[in-house]
Amino acid sequence: MFNIAIFVGSLCYGVVYFVLLRKRGKLSDAVIMLLLCGFIAGYNAPYIGKRWPTVEKLYNGLYTPLSRYIFSHLLSFNK
Amino acid sequence: MIVKEKITHLQLGFLLFGFIAGFESMFLTESKLMKQDVWIANLFNTAAGLALFWIISFVQRQFPNLNLTEICDKLLGRWFSKVLLCVYLLNNLETISGGFRAVSMFYTTVILPNTSSDYLIFLYAACSTYAVYIGLGTLARTNLVILPFFLLGFLVTCLFIIPEIQTNPFLPQLKSSLPNRLVGSMHLFTFTFSQVITFGFLMSRVENMKKIFPSCAIAILMTNIYLIMISYLTLSSLGFNYVQTSTYPFFSTIQMVKFGEYLERIEVLLVGLWTVLTLVYVAVMQYVFTLVAGHVFGISKMKPFVVAMGLLCFVHTSKSYIRTADHFTYGIKIYPLSSLLPCIAFPVLLLVMTLIKRRREVKSL
């Protein structure tokens, strides 16, 4: 319920401000707002929300090999 | 968000103290790793924090009319600067999410076990978004109001813990292993003064730029004295074994404080003040996130974006660090590495480019 409220709320916020900013002649701001709110809604969207990217997932993928090498091989640190 | 409001160098120094002191006393991971040698991490942290802060304030002093994002554009070129600022934004979002998750985890573990962590995170995100909306000046003044209460509460609590001290916990010295010393020092630095880059983005908003370094250097020293004090009190009153198994060792320490026969649970007052300071930490991070994102994406009017970015921080946190064990492992093994580029390499690169630019200007004269 809470997730759906955030999903719908962020989409509505994006669309409302897209229209308002476009009326004020700030097209690039309007497009960024729509994209940002769409991205936010994606986190709570049904089915795809769990697979939406987070910094934790990205950095786990990027840094785990390096971290494993430094902590396990160089420092022999296992905690 | 009020864009042009200025703050004083003292307010920035107090903000730096509140920023670190509120958040870092939570887990004391470095004390768990290094035990009696935790002072080594604190000494390293002081030196590294001062060096990093000097680098950033030096770069800022060379371009007094520009903010750090504009300095990056000038020194590194528009597109490379954008790439580096995006890496900083990712680190900032990672830190905000970690901060929100840490506070909600503390509350759901210790005080409100039946409350959903998502609701708590939403509440904190709403508070910090409001703080960003009302601006840096108000945030700095609020911090000035809270800090005396925090310091008074902390000092009184410390006085009442002193009777619990059995032995000197910093003896015998140098007994921890070298990897533990390295990891502990790196961990403490990452969670405290590696984030002084965030304060770099606020330096252009300070009235007297020349006094930024002295006042913030005092703040860095005071923060480290505070960290050494809480490590000493926690290790001496709880003992090494209890500190290693406790998730929130300093909280367990202040739980021992009692006034007289009936007045107990004094720690709740400190926890309240500590929560507000943690909110200051997250609000400063979110403020700078909004500022830098506005520059990177070329947003002309930031006001409508403040709520959207607050919402982004909330949803991102609600999907990050869900398992407590993963959060701890990430904090020890990934976060120190992922912070190297945006928090250490980035300021050093700016310093090198500033020196090169200065040398070229001197030659051309």
Side-chain angles (χ1 to χ4, degrees):
Chain A
M1 189 68 192
F2 189 62
N3 281 356
I4 296 293
I6 296 292
F7 174 69
V8 175
S10 54
L11 279 182
C12 290
Y13 188 87
V15 171
V16 167
Y17 268 99
F18 174 73
V19 174
L20 282 175
L21 290 167
R22 245 190 87 187
K23 270 186 188 170
R24 286 177 201 160
K26 288 170 178 161
L27 187 65
S28 64
D29 282 13
V31 172
I32 292 167
M33 178 62 95
L34 196 66
L35 289 174
L36 178 64
C37 289
F39 184 70
I40 293 166
Y43 279 105
N44 290 313
Y47 307 113
I48 56 164
K50 282 182 184 170
R51 276 170 290 179
W52 214 242
T54 63
V55 183
E56 185 197 4
K57 282 179 199 167
L58 174 72
Y59 281 172
N60 264 328
L62 276 177
Y63 288 103
T64 301
L66 180 67
S67 163
R68 205 168 284 160
Y69 176 73
I70 290 175
F71 288 100
S72 304
H73 291 89
L74 287 182
L75 298 175
S76 305
F77 176 86
N78 291 309
K79 280 197 181 172
Chain B
M1 195 165 64
I2 303 158
V3 177
K4 285 179 181 172
E5 195 181 359
K6 292 266 182 182
I7 60 169
T8 64
H9 59 278
L10 282 175
Q11 281 177 328
L12 190 79
F14 280 114
L15 202 59
L16 180 63
F17 178 81
F19 181 85
I20 306 292
F23 186 70
E24 189 40 39
S25 51
M26 203 173 185
F27 298 105
L28 290 181
T29 310
E30 65 285 353
S31 299
K32 291 175 193 172
L33 290 171
M34 297 169 74
K35 295 174 187 166
Q36 65 267 47
D37 295 331
V38 69
W39 57 271
I40 296 173
N42 286 294
L43 281 183
F44 169 78
N45 198 28
T46 311
L50 285 172
L52 199 58
F53 202 89
W54 181 85
I55 289 173
I56 297 165
S57 60
F58 174 79
V59 172
Q60 179 64 62
R61 277 202 310 274
Q62 307 309 308
F63 308 93
N65 299 321
L66 303 176
N67 63 36
L68 200 60
T69 49
E70 291 163 343
I71 294 171
C72 293
D73 284 357
K74 193 170 182 173
L75 291 175
L76 308 170
R78 205 173 156 208
W79 291 106
F80 188 53
S81 155
K82 270 193 199 298
V83 170
L84 275 181
L85 289 173
C86 282
V87 174
Y88 170 76
L89 282 177
L90 286 177
N91 176 263
N92 190 312
L93 193 60
E94 179 191 22
T95 311
I96 291 174
S97 303
F100 277 141
R101 185 59 78 179
V103 186
S104 75
M105 196 200 299
F106 174 78
Y107 271 87
T108 49
T109 312
V110 178
I111 296 172
L112 303 164
N114 296 320
T115 311
S116 160
S117 58
D118 276 0
Y119 293 138
L120 287 171
I121 294 166
F122 185 75
L123 202 65
Y124 302 138
C127 290
S128 64
T129 305
Y130 180 66
V132 175
Y133 186 81
I134 55 177
L136 182 67
T138 317
L139 188 64
R141 286 193 294 276
T142 311
N143 182 58
L144 275 182
V145 173
I146 299 159
L147 268 185
F149 290 103
F150 177 78
L151 289 175
L152 188 74
F154 170 71
L155 285 173
V156 170
T157 312
C158 284
L159 285 176
F160 278 82
I161 296 171
I162 287 172
E164 307 291 335
I165 295 174
Q166 303 291 324
T167 52
N168 183 352
F170 289 173
L171 291 174
Q173 287 175 4
L174 306 174
K175 290 287 175 187
S176 61
S177 64
L178 187 64
N180 277 4
R181 275 183 230 165
L182 280 172
V183 176
S185 304
M186 211 163 77
H187 180 274
L188 183 64
F189 180 66
T190 312
F191 276 82
T192 54
F193 297 121
S194 74
Q195 286 303 333
V196 292
I197 179 76
T198 301
F199 280 77
F201 291 102
L202 304 176
M203 280 179 189
S204 62
R205 303 277 303 278
V206 178
E207 278 166 359
N208 192 346
M209 234 169 246
K210 283 180 185 166
K211 289 186 177 173
I212 290 178
F213 184 72
S215 50
C216 287
I218 293 169
I220 288 173
L221 288 173
M222 294 300 288
T223 312
N224 274 302
I225 291 169
Y226 166 79
L227 289 174
I228 289 180
M229 274 172 76
I230 60 169
S231 301
Y232 183 91
L233 290 171
T234 307
L235 287 171
S236 60
S237 57
L238 297 181
F240 294 152
N241 292 332
Y242 191 90
V243 168
Q244 267 201 317
T245 51
S246 171
T247 316
Y248 307 104
F250 188 55
F251 179 72
S252 304
T253 308
I254 59 175
Q255 270 185 318
M256 294 161 78
V257 174
K258 275 183 192 175
F259 294 125
E261 191 69 23
Y262 303 107
L263 200 61
E264 40 188 357
R265 302 308 306 257
I266 305 296
E267 79 277 4
V268 175
L269 289 173
L270 262 190
V271 165
L273 290 165
W274 167 80
T275 307
V276 178
L277 284 185
T278 308
L279 264 175
V280 169
Y281 176 91
V282 182
V284 170
M285 294 298 296
Q286 198 177 321
Y287 184 88
V288 173
F289 181 85
T290 312
L291 215 66
V292 177
H295 178 84
V296 169
F297 297 109
I299 298 166
S300 55
K301 202 167 189 293
M302 281 310 296
K303 224 171 188 177
F305 285 89
V306 171
V307 176
M309 286 179 189
L311 209 55
L312 173 68
C313 293
F314 161 67
V315 289
H316 185 267
T317 309
S318 67
K319 303 293 173 193
S320 304
Y321 317 114
I322 294 168
R323 293 186 198 92
T324 309
D326 288 353
H327 191 187
F328 279 107
T329 312
Y330 189 91
I332 292 175
K333 293 187 173 176
I334 304 288
Y335 187 55
L337 297 177
S338 69
S339 300
L340 282 176
L341 177 61
C343 300
I344 297 165
F346 183 29
V348 170
L349 181 66
L350 286 179
L351 175 72
V352 171
M353 294 306 291
T354 308
L355 291 175
I356 291 171
K357 197 174 164 55
R358 266 182 78 181
R359 194 167 286 177
R360 273 186 195 162
E361 279 172 2
V362 170
K363 273 184 184 174
S364 67
L365 285 172

